[in-house]
Amino acid sequence: MAILRWAEETARAVLADALPRRWVHVQEVAVRAGRMAVALDEENGEVLHAAAWLHDVGYAPELATTFHPLDGARYLRTVGAPERLVGLVAFHSAAASEARSLGFSGEMAQFEDERSLVRDLLWFADMTIGPGGECMTFDRRMAELQERYAPDHYVVRALEVGIGERRAAVERAERWLDLVGLTDRNHSGG
Ligand SMILES: [Fe+2]
């Protein structure tokens, strides 16, 4: 439980005042992750929930120098976050594909992508919660990203290369949610 409180406070410290809308998104991603965490064992559930709190810290103006998954992971390592959290943040939501297209693969190599159910669930939560904390389908969320950023922004440029990987992770997460009886079509499909 201590790690959860630490994750929430760490994210709040860099995002809440600087990027209030982003902070709302993060809080809702954490709520969704927390709901899924109850169907995992304690350790994995806690890691999922903590990673959800931390996944976007790299957007904080004081930390942003390259692109947000890498900036976030670097920061978390400097403040002594557990390596699993560092890796989940580094590679969240197709960041590896994005890093390749942006020329950051070399720097990403210092982190580990665990390619696990926890990772898929983190991606699912991030990609079904909109920028203001609203629930939306994966397809709507991808369209929303394209609408929100300028065509030459890295988020849009990198979107295409990572879309297949994102969709596959979301589908795996949805299958698991069905399996454990956590599917809420209205919630994930609104
Ligand atoms: Fe996010």
Side-chain angles (χ1 to χ4, degrees):
M1 244 11 205
I3 191 76
L4 266 184
R5 200 161 302 130
W6 175 82
E8 179 178 349
E9 289 314 313
T10 298
R12 184 193 308 278
V14 296
L15 292 176
D17 292 335
L19 299 171
R21 189 165 151 83
R22 175 76 52 190
W23 177 234
V24 174
H25 160 82
V26 166
Q27 290 175 87
E28 292 303 319
V29 172
V31 166
R32 176 160 278 190
R35 286 200 193 108
M36 298 189 290
V38 299
L40 294 168
D41 63 56
E42 193 179 344
E43 183 187 340
N44 283 303
E46 211 167 72
V47 167
L48 170 63
H49 201 173
W53 279 117
L54 295 167
H55 78 283
D56 274 348
V57 294
Y59 277 117
E62 63 192 276
L63 305 178
T65 56
T66 58
F67 85 127
H68 82 277
L70 177 57
D71 293 333
R74 279 173 169 163
Y75 171 69
L76 291 172
R77 190 175 269 170
T78 64
V79 296
E83 274 299 306
R84 258 193 97 183
L85 288 179
V86 173
L88 283 165
V89 169
F91 289 99
H92 83 272
S93 302
S97 303
E98 298 180 355
R100 262 195 304 282
S101 81
L102 298 167
F104 294 125
S105 285
E107 298 193 56
M108 293 289 276
Q110 65 182 300
F111 305 111
E112 194 185 343
D113 182 359
E114 66 174 55
R115 297 175 183 276
S116 64
L117 172 64
V118 168
R119 181 190 81 153
D120 290 345
L121 296 177
L122 175 65
W123 293 26
F124 173 84
D126 188 27
M127 290 186 286
T128 55
I129 299 288
E134 59 278 53
C135 295
M136 53 175 65
T137 62
F138 171 69
D139 286 329
R140 181 73 207 103
R141 176 85 159 106
M142 293 304 100
E144 172 279 314
L145 282 168
Q146 264 159 339
E147 288 158 14
R148 183 155 47 97
Y149 290 96
D152 62 339
H153 191 281
Y154 81 77
V155 169
V156 173
R157 283 191 286 130
L159 203 57
E160 269 178 33
V161 290
I163 195 92
E165 206 187 349
R166 286 174 188 247
R167 188 179 299 281
V170 165
E171 287 173 357
R172 286 193 299 270
E174 285 174 337
R175 276 198 297 276
W176 179 83
L177 290 165
D178 274 342
L179 214 63
V180 299
L182 277 180
T183 307
D184 179 346
R185 290 293 173 201
N186 288 331
H187 211 61
S188 68

